[in-house]
């Protein structure tokens, strides 16, 4: 298995976060989901991610993750997952989850979107939460 299926961008930013993401473990999940292209993960601030949300998705609000699926676009070598370090930290505090578990869950959430799962309806959200839990357990066990 090629671990270059997961790329980490701007690793010098948010070093306290990056240490919680294991590229090899995320690559296993990437393979389990049969994703066709490598995935680049980038940690950003709230404002940076909100700017992407506004420009690309036309949504004017904060979010924890945005996924760019370029699977069918040969002009892009990889898909993108943008994660707000600020949202992850706040969500971790509010939910009582450890920072590492919240960050891993959000990264897995992005991978699930790339695999075609959505979270628009309550049923879809429930399915996503179940899959996040399953893949977080796999992440921890490997």
């Amino acid at each position: 298995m090629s671990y270059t299926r997961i790329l980490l961008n701007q690793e010098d930013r948010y070093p306290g976060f990056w240490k919680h993401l294991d590229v090899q473990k995320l690559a296993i999940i990437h393979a389990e989901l049969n994703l066709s292209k490598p995935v680049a993960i980038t940690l950003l601030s709230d404002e940076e991610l909100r700017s992407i949300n506004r420009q690309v998705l036309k949504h004017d609000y904060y979010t924890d993750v945005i996924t760019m699926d370029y699977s069918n676009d040969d002009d892009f070598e990889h898909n993108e997952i943008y994660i707000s370090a600020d949202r992850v930290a706040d969500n971790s505090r509010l939910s009582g989850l450890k920072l590492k578990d919240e960050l891993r869950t959000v990264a897995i959430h992005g991978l699930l979107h790339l695999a075609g799962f959505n979270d628009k309806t309550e049923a879809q959200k429930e399915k996503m939460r179940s899959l996040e839990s399953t893949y977080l357990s796999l992440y921890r066990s490997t």
Side-chain angles (χ1 to χ4, degrees):
M1 173 186 310
S2 171
Y3 296 121
T4 57
R5 304 302 286 170
I6 302 290
L7 314 165
L8 303 179
N9 286 334
Q10 301 178 346
E11 289 184 75
D12 55 325
R13 293 181 72 191
Y14 307 104
F17 286 74
W18 287 117
K19 69 181 181 182
H20 297 303
L21 287 181
D22 185 318
V23 173
Q24 294 176 350
K25 292 179 179 187
L26 290 174
I28 290 168
I29 295 168
H30 182 284
E32 286 281 322
L33 293 170
N34 293 314
L35 298 177
S36 60
K37 283 189 177 184
V39 176
I41 299 174
T42 305
L43 290 175
L44 300 171
S45 70
D46 260 351
E47 293 306 322
E48 290 167 317
L49 196 57
R50 185 176 184 190
S51 177
I52 292 171
N53 208 11
R54 275 192 210 123
Q55 292 171 3
V56 177
L57 301 176
K58 308 302 183 217
H59 300 154
D60 190 13
Y61 54 79
Y62 295 111
T63 186
D64 54 359
V65 63
I66 293 177
T67 305
M68 302 293 190
D69 186 352
Y70 301 119
S71 298
N72 298 319
D73 191 335
D74 292 337
D75 291 336
F76 292 89
E77 294 180 15
H78 56 269
N79 295 311
E80 300 276 350
I81 296 175
Y82 298 104
I83 297 173
S84 167
D86 298 324
R87 285 298 95 224
V88 167
D90 286 349
N91 290 345
S92 172
R93 276 191 297 275
L94 292 172
S95 69
L97 278 177
K98 293 180 182 176
L99 177 70
K100 66 182 180 182
D101 288 333
E102 180 66 20
L103 179 59
R104 293 168 183 168
T105 299
V106 171
I108 290 167
H109 185 90
L111 291 173
L112 289 169
H113 275 304
L114 292 174
F117 294 96
N118 291 310
D119 55 2
K120 300 278 187 231
T121 68
E122 280 307 310
Q124 290 172 335
K125 288 176 186 177
E126 188 176 313
K127 177 70 172 172
M128 285 281 276
R129 283 191 293 270
S130 174
L131 289 168
E132 288 166 2
S133 178
T134 297
Y135 284 110
L136 187 58
S137 293
L138 174 65
Y139 185 103
R140 289 176 180 146
S141 70
T142 56

